[in-house]
Amino acid sequence: MRYYVAMVAGIHTVAFHGIEVLDIEVQVQVVGGLPNFVVVGLPDKAVAESRERVRGALTSIGLSLPPRRIIVNLSPADVVKEGSHFDLPIALGLLLIMDVLPSDAVDGHVALGELALDGSIRPVAGVLLAAIAAAGSERGLICPAASGGEAAFAGGGDVLAPQGLIHLINHFRGVQLLTPPEPRLAEDAGSAPDLRDIRGQEIAKRALEIAAAGGHNMLMVGPPGAGKSMLASRLPGILPPLDAAETLEISMIHSAAGTLADGTLSRRRPFRDPHHTASTAAIVGGGQRVRPGEVSLAHNGVLFLDELPEFNRAALEALRQPIETGEAVIARANIHVSYPARFQLVAAMNPCRCGWLDDPGQACSRAPRCAVDYQARISGPLFDRIDLHIDVPAVDLADLALPPPAEGSAEVAARVGAARAVQSARYESAGIRTNAEAQGEALDAAAAPGAEGRELLVRAAEALKLTARGYHRVLRVARTVADLDGAAEISRPHIAEAMSYRRIAHVSA
């Protein structure tokens, strides 16, 4: 029989290193010897179990493995292979050797997909990344049908998205033709919550508009029920829509995480609100397979941390580097991965543990020590990285009876969009999107205040003992305030408003 002769079939697939794609060749060999099926080349548990899924899938379509020794080598062998997407290329290699498929059927293709025991092909993470890499190397892609929508966005060559192995076999044998998948955008989930729903809190609304216009981080401090979470949830509704580049960036990260629903891409900015019990790995990324964390899943969107002091201290401190650099770098003994993490941090907290520090009717029995201890859970360096610090007082009950305000999210979004357009034109040559990202020469050129504004800034910075970081963050906020006013130069009122949003300790021991 032919299986006594050593035969090798090579199928191209990929491995993922963050959002970087590595080319992997799956080499399948059938040789004489006792029946055995081994996978080598640093496979993880999911890859090692592929042999059973492949065996079951082939059996379900009426095929059996050759009664010989089967060796699968994942090359290069010094790269760790993770995930179930190696099932499909392994099965294709066996089908080539068994003459079920023509010898040149999958030439020029990259394949990935998980096999079910009934022979169907299940969706896997990273199809969009693999499609972009395949298009860059002028190869086609074979992927699960459920992931075909995201693969089609790569705009490359031939994309085959079969429901199961039998459909793929029939396509290559000319029995049926697989229709190329079409790019799919997620359906609009409805209108976002509107600012018109919020009564009172005019100062907080103004700060929210500034945060949206300049991409600034924001912290709201106030008693329970003041509306902090309501304000935060309305931020995405006043942010400008994603452009094509931003949509692709976000989708690549969510593809790597396996969170693209039904292979569809969304044009909505992410809004992530993890619970305060989230671990450091969940927030910044990591874990056994080094998945992207909340900071990366919120890339080009909003990361909302409610009850900020209740988060794990290590998780909060881990935010400092992504806030500054716009990327989350995860280092392990055997791997070093970087994910984009240019997010907008919006946080909320009570002034003290009970939340009633400044309420004379429900005064905190341990004030001020209760507030000092509670606020001390947030480090000074993290506070210093937040541009806007807002006190959100309890809503007056009389305000709740007032009619809805005349201005809602649509009106605010129009002003935010105009300010963002100004910033886009200003920083076009520097590759900067918002005032919050400006630094160095770009910031000096854009945010140079007038003489009166500079005098006020210097005096206030000395009085408040601002750090160099705090000084520049005030300038960025002042630049945004001026953009909302349509002013070319930063004046004294712009500096004054920006300074009013800097943190001043709410309590003293």
Side-chain angles (χ1 to χ4, degrees):
M1 293 179 63
R2 63 174 299 171
Y3 299 121
Y4 285 101
V5 180
M7 301 182 63
V8 178
I11 311 295
H12 286 282
T13 187
V14 294
F16 302 105
H17 189 89
I19 60 171
E20 180 185 356
V21 178
L22 306 178
D23 184 41
I24 302 294
E25 184 182 14
V26 178
Q27 301 168 345
V28 181
Q29 185 181 56
V30 177
V31 297
L34 294 176
N36 196 9
F37 193 155
V38 296
V39 181
V40 298
L42 287 184
D44 74 346
K45 185 67 172 176
V47 182
E49 292 173 346
S50 290
R51 57 181 182 268
E52 302 304 331
R53 292 191 293 273
V54 170
R55 190 193 309 273
L58 293 179
T59 300
S60 70
I61 61 173
L63 299 173
S64 59
L65 292 177
R68 299 290 179 262
R69 179 174 174 80
I70 300 171
I71 304 170
V72 176
N73 177 45
L74 308 177
S75 176
D78 60 346
V79 175
V80 177
K81 319 301 187 307
E82 299 176 330
S84 59
H85 65 273
F86 291 93
D87 293 3
L88 183 57
I90 291 173
L92 290 175
L94 286 168
L95 293 173
L96 288 172
I97 288 180
M98 295 163 62
D99 278 343
V100 176
L101 293 179
S103 59
D104 60 348
V106 295
D107 288 353
H109 284 80
V110 173
L112 74 165
E114 176 185 327
L115 293 179
L117 296 183
D118 63 357
S120 61
I121 304 176
R122 300 288 178 83
V124 291
V127 170
L128 176 60
L129 300 174
I132 294 172
S137 58
E138 297 183 348
R139 291 173 177 161
L141 184 77
I142 305 173
C143 68
S147 304
E150 60 180 290
F153 267 99
D158 185 25
V159 176
L160 301 176
Q163 293 281 354
L165 268 181
I166 192 66
H167 303 94
L168 189 60
I169 293 172
N170 289 340
H171 173 81
F172 283 126
R173 295 177 70 89
V175 176
Q176 72 178 88
L177 183 65
L178 290 174
T179 304
E182 295 291 334
R184 289 188 293 164
L185 284 172
E187 294 183 5
D188 196 338
S191 58
D194 200 293
L195 278 173
R196 192 173 278 110
D197 301 332
I198 298 177
R199 308 294 195 271
Q201 305 296 11
E202 298 305 321
I203 294 176
K205 290 181 184 177
R206 168 65 174 174
L208 199 69
E209 180 178 342
I210 294 171
H216 302 289
N217 300 324
M218 179 177 176
L219 171 66
M220 295 176 283
V221 182
K228 303 184 294 293
S229 297
M230 285 185 67
L231 285 161
S233 66
R234 280 143 181 81
L235 179 57
I238 62 175
L239 290 171
L242 294 168
D243 61 29
E246 290 174 327
T247 300
L248 186 59
E249 288 175 6
I250 294 170
S251 300
M252 289 171 65
I253 297 169
H254 284 259
S255 178
T259 57
L260 282 183
D262 300 322
T264 58
L265 276 64
S266 174
R267 292 296 299 271
R268 279 201 166 186
R269 291 191 180 273
F271 181 83
R272 307 290 299 187
D273 54 345
H275 193 262
H276 59 255
T277 56
S279 66
T280 303
I283 295 295
V284 298
Q288 185 176 2
R289 297 180 62 185
V290 195
R291 292 299 193 190
E294 294 292 336
V295 296
S296 296
L297 295 174
H299 180 65
N300 287 332
V302 178
L303 176 64
F304 176 48
L305 301 183
D306 199 7
E307 307 296 345
L308 185 67
E310 302 296 340
F311 279 81
N312 179 285
R313 178 67 178 262
L316 292 181
E317 294 306 298
L319 289 173
R320 288 158 55 178
Q321 181 246 359
I323 288 174
E324 288 293 318
T325 64
E327 63 178 359
V329 180
I330 303 135
R332 297 289 184 268
N334 61 342
I335 194 168
H336 191 273
V337 175
S338 175
Y339 287 106
R342 183 68 67 185
F343 60 94
Q344 195 171 345
L345 174 64
V346 177
M349 61 181 284
N350 297 329
C352 63
R353 177 174 287 279
C354 69
W356 306 111
L357 177 68
D358 299 320
D359 191 316
Q362 306 183 67
C364 176
S365 60
R366 293 185 58 244
R369 174 52 58 187
C370 174
V372 171
D373 293 343
Y374 193 64
Q375 295 184 23
R377 296 183 180 186
I378 315 300
S379 69
L382 181 57
F383 271 130
D384 203 33
R385 286 169 167 80
I386 299 176
D387 301 338
L388 306 171
H389 297 253
I390 308 300
D391 282 319
V392 183
V395 180
D396 192 323
L397 293 181
D399 288 340
L400 298 179
L402 295 175
E407 186 174 81
S409 293
E411 292 77 12
V412 176
R415 293 197 296 269
V416 169
R420 286 286 187 106
V422 170
Q423 294 167 54
S424 179
R426 176 188 298 136
Y427 301 122
E428 184 177 7
S429 61
I432 297 172
R433 298 177 183 177
T434 62
N435 288 326
E437 300 176 19
Q439 56 185 330
E441 293 182 358
L443 179 62
D444 293 340
E452 291 186 356
R454 183 177 298 279
E455 180 186 359
L456 174 61
L457 176 59
V458 171
R459 287 194 290 107
E462 291 176 349
L464 296 178
K465 301 188 183 303
L466 293 183
T467 63
R469 179 188 292 114
Y471 177 90
H472 288 112
R473 288 188 178 273
V474 169
L475 279 178
R476 294 186 183 108
V477 173
R479 180 64 268 174
T480 300
V481 175
D483 288 340
L484 286 170
D485 284 351
E489 185 179 78
I490 298 174
S491 63
R492 183 184 178 91
H494 303 141
I495 293 291
E497 183 173 1
M499 287 299 307
S500 71
Y501 298 127
R502 288 307 297 173
R503 176 178 182 259
I504 301 175
H506 287 79
V507 294
S508 58

